[in-house]
Amino acid sequence: MTLPLIVLVGPTATGKSGLAVDLALALGERGRPAEVVNADSMLVYRGMDIGTAKPTVGERRGVPHHLIDIADVAQRASVADFQRLARATIADLRARGVVPILVGGSALYTRAITDHFEFPASDDDVRARWEAELERVGAHALHARLAQLAPESAAAIEPGNGRRIVRALEVLELTGGHAPAIPEWTYELDEVHQFGLTLDRAELDRRIDLRVDQMWELGLVDEVRGLLDEGLRDGVTAIRAIGYRQVVAYLDGQITEDEARAEVQRATRRFFRRQLSWYRRDPRITWLDAASGTAVQDILTALDW
């Protein structure tokens, strides 16, 4: 019998990380060992702790967490690599009789892991050329170019999302086409059970603003300053993380510190609305009220455990 893969999704600041630990401990008490598999692309980076709200060792409460702190900030992270690593980890846990709990806030990453999801061709030289063009003209100008070449793809990508624009242009050049949509709802893995956390939007806004304020108090600016010394600017992926790119802009003198903090709050709110929009399209997700206090029991009941 295949052990279930429990997937916890939903917008940032809804408490997914804490719920994952609570659930793992509850399963352990029932004689079903469980461990957490990270599906957040930024938690893989060593040293990116405060700005990613990475669970501390204490917050993990003895529950093993996988795919956290496995890369330097100068390394490039790709969805395809994450898919391979996560699926291998899930298979290993199941083989050892451990229930995997996959936790993520990006529909692209969680779906790449759980669903039938193939990646188009990639070429480092072609991508580097488009990244150089992005650096030269900016995301909005490059988005306009994509709109001329592939209007449907451009319509599905935000004009400020330079990374996705570059990827679309890379695929377009290599294959002659770029699919703007991710595949239909077809699981590649067996026994997937998805649960989404949701909260009142006003409460989510409040939590996000509070979280960003706490990040500043914990030393986010100093964290970013230290990561710049470790090659953060050389990283294609890490430096684009919300919180990090705004602090870099502040340290570079492009904006004030107050402007950086306010922009992190705005960017995070925009991001959670996009997250929720993506997840709401997936009919396979069972939605739970993050404020109810019954999420663990609701999941156990749904699993008939």
Side-chain angles (χ1 to χ4, degrees):
M1 175 182 175
T2 302
L3 288 172
L5 168 61
I6 302 171
V7 184
L8 302 181
V9 301
T12 189
T14 50
K16 297 184 297 294
S17 298
L19 174 60
V21 173
D22 289 340
L23 182 59
L25 293 173
L27 287 168
E29 291 173 356
R30 287 162 173 75
R32 300 178 184 274
E35 298 180 9
V36 174
V37 181
N38 165 55
D40 185 310
S41 62
M42 295 302 158
L43 295 190
V44 302
Y45 290 111
R46 287 182 285 271
M48 290 179 64
D49 303 330
I50 298 172
T52 63
K54 184 181 296 176
T56 65
V57 172
E59 289 168 339
R60 299 174 203 179
R61 287 177 281 165
V63 175
H65 282 56
H66 302 270
L67 303 187
I68 289 179
D69 293 335
I70 61 172
D72 295 326
V73 291
Q75 292 180 248
R76 181 198 297 270
S78 72
V79 185
D81 289 338
F82 215 111
Q83 179 193 66
R84 175 180 54 80
L85 292 170
R87 287 183 176 179
T89 301
I90 290 165
D92 176 66
L93 292 175
R94 283 173 156 174
R96 294 192 285 111
V98 177
V99 176
I101 303 174
L102 184 70
V103 185
S106 165
L108 177 62
Y109 277 77
T110 52
R111 288 201 58 200
I113 295 164
T114 64
D115 287 13
H116 178 70
F117 205 107
E118 296 179 354
F119 296 93
S122 179
D123 184 279
D124 288 344
D125 291 336
V126 172
R127 181 179 300 181
R129 179 155 33 81
W130 284 116
E131 286 173 346
E133 188 67 1
L134 172 66
E135 187 71 22
R136 187 179 73 84
V137 304
H140 285 78
L142 203 60
H143 186 271
R145 192 176 307 180
L146 176 64
Q148 294 176 333
L149 298 171
E152 290 186 8
S153 294
I157 299 174
E158 289 197 2
N161 194 330
R163 185 182 180 195
R164 287 195 63 199
I165 296 167
V166 165
R167 179 61 176 146
L169 287 165
E170 176 193 9
V171 173
L172 186 65
E173 181 173 336
L174 291 172
T175 68
H178 175 254
I182 55 179
E184 291 302 316
W185 321 106
T186 304
Y187 284 135
E188 181 78 9
L189 303 184
D190 297 329
E191 288 297 314
V192 178
H193 301 266
Q194 289 196 80
F195 300 91
L197 291 183
T198 186
L199 270 176
D200 173 77
R201 291 201 175 190
E203 172 62 14
L204 265 176
D205 283 342
R206 187 193 69 80
R207 288 193 183 191
I208 286 169
D209 287 348
L210 178 61
R211 172 181 281 190
V212 173
D213 287 340
Q214 289 173 337
M215 287 176 177
W216 244 262
E217 293 168 7
L218 290 170
L220 177 60
V221 173
D222 286 338
E223 177 174 279
V224 175
R225 188 179 285 114
L227 290 172
L228 287 172
D229 293 337
E230 297 179 21
L232 180 62
R233 289 186 194 279
D234 300 325
V236 175
T237 311
I239 197 170
R240 293 179 180 164
I242 294 175
Y244 292 85
R245 64 175 180 264
Q246 290 85 0
V247 173
V248 169
Y250 157 60
L251 293 174
D252 286 347
Q254 298 173 7
I255 56 178
T256 68
E257 185 171 3
D258 286 343
E259 288 171 338
R261 185 193 301 225
E263 179 53 33
V264 173
Q265 291 171 330
R266 286 192 294 269
T268 306
R269 287 196 292 271
R270 289 195 298 268
F271 180 56
F272 100 66
R273 285 176 170 80
R274 290 200 304 273
Q275 288 175 305
L276 194 56
S277 175
W278 275 107
Y279 284 124
R280 285 297 191 188
R281 301 175 195 175
D282 192 336
R284 304 167 300 178
I285 297 174
T286 299
W287 289 96
L288 307 173
D289 182 358
S292 68
T294 64
V296 169
Q297 187 55 53
D298 292 341
I299 293 172
L300 294 175
T301 299
L303 294 172
D304 196 23
W305 280 358

